[in-house]
Amino acid sequence: MITPELHILTRTDLAALEIGPGEVIDAVRDAYVAYAEGASRNPTKMMMTVPTGRDAVSYSMLGFDGALQQVGFKTSYRQGTGNPDKYYTTISLYDDKTGLPFAFMDCHRVGGSRTPATTALIAEACASEGARSALMIGTGRQGLNTLPYLATRLPHLEKLRFFGTHPDGVRATVETFHEYFPGRELERVHDVPAAVSDSDIVVAASGRAAHPPVKTSWLKPGGVLISVSSKGVDSSSLADADYAIATNEGQLGVTGSRFDTADGAAGIDAEFPDVLIGRKPARRGQADRVFAFSSGMVITDIPVAHALAHKAIEAGLGQKVRLWT
């Protein structure tokens, strides 16, 4: 009889593991394709605010990655949107081939990898022909890897810029980019509206931002605005777009309800997995201003977590726990 056991992996265990942008982007793309083709399942995430007046919110996501045949449960809790030290997120994986539990691990690095991978894939699919510039707004965890992932997937981008106000975040953004692209120039901007109007691809991943809320109407014709669940995006941005995409329409209703119009729930033209496999177009015309709402889907967490777990186990990291004995 096989005794079920979990590999427990901490944030420290996962921190030094090498996993490049290309590997993560390929894993996330495979996950979206499997979902679009009906092999995976991704129920809408559950969100609950905590009624204590502490500005706390919790999330729960369940999914099945048909490519890996892994079931994943992800949980997140944050007390105070401005306090990164009070944000905790975990993921547990179960192998559907063997019917056994596999890993329970910190999900901080997973989320910080699969989110920019999704951004890069959306940018690649939705950017207009001839796009040459990208702007990253925000220097927190969600945006830290965005520019190197964009440069990996869209090597033809000539101008890469960012906006940030927190000194540690600014420094980390520059250092992280130059780890992957030591010879490339990265420009810091200070006028967000002007930089948006001069960029082909705009990624907003700012929280309670120190900049005017970004509007789709600021984009140049053919521009694309990708909101990574950003509070720094104006609530008019979806309605004002010529074409609108979401990673998942159900999750847009949960985490993007502020984009609802007075007439009802916000509507989109396509879900991104359908765009990725060619079932739906990424835009109607080259001059369209495109808005894309990116809300994390657990099917993209699962393959990244699975890859990191395997690397950690092969390196002898973590510990095994026989929880069910």
Side-chain angles (χ1 to χ4, degrees), residues 222-280:
V224 56
L225 169 60
I226 304 170
S227 172
V228 185
S229 295
S230 175
K231 294 182 176 66
V233 172
D234 193 85
S235 60
S236 67
S237 292
L238 191 153
D240 288 348
D242 299 310
Y243 197 78
I245 289 171
T247 45
N248 182 272
E249 189 167 16
Q251 292 188 185
L252 171 64
V254 174
T255 59
S257 59
R258 63 194 180 87
F259 295 109
D260 291 350
T261 65
D263 298 330
I268 61 171
D269 297 291
E271 288 189 326
F272 179 63
D274 290 333
V275 171
L276 196 60
I277 66 168
R279 185 180 292 148
K280 292 284 186 72

Side-chain angles (χ1 to χ4, degrees), residues 15 22 49 51-52 82 110 144 175 214 224-226 270 278 281 296 298 323:
T49 54
T52 57
V110 174
L144 186 62
E175 290 176 352
V214 181
V224 56
L225 169 60
I226 304 170
V298 72
L323 192 63

Side-chain angles (χ1 to χ4, degrees), residues 112-134:
S113 301
R114 59 86 156 134
T115 299
T118 293
T119 297
L121 290 167
I122 293 174
E124 179 184 42
C126 298
S128 61
E129 294 177 6
R132 290 293 181 269
S133 60

Side-chain angles (χ1 to χ4, degrees), residues 23 59 85 93 98 101 106 233 270 304 317:
E23 183 178 353
Y59 292 92
D85 295 330
L93 301 177
T98 64
D106 174 72
V233 172
V304 179
L317 300 172

Side-chain angles (χ1 to χ4, degrees), residues 24-88:
V24 176
I25 293 169
D26 287 344
V28 170
R29 188 185 189 282
D30 289 346
Y32 279 129
V33 169
Y35 176 75
E37 293 177 344
S40 302
R41 296 292 182 271
N42 194 105
T44 302
K45 72 168 64 173
M46 182 184 300
M47 181 180 75
M48 180 186 71
T49 54
V50 181
T52 57
R54 299 190 186 97
D55 194 21
V57 64
S58 58
Y59 292 92
S60 178
M61 291 194 285
L62 161 68
F64 171 69
D65 179 0
L68 291 173
Q69 297 186 47
Q70 294 274 314
V71 171
F73 294 85
K74 181 179 179 180
T75 64
S76 299
Y77 168 80
R78 182 194 297 274
Q79 185 189 77
T81 54
N83 186 359
D85 295 330
K86 291 291 182 73
Y87 175 58
Y88 304 98

Side-chain angles (χ1 to χ4, degrees), residues 140-157:
R141 182 64 188 176
Q142 291 294 348
L144 186 62
N145 287 312
T146 295
L147 290 170
Y149 277 56
L150 282 174
T152 297
R153 199 67 182 187
L154 291 86
H156 58 274
L157 292 176

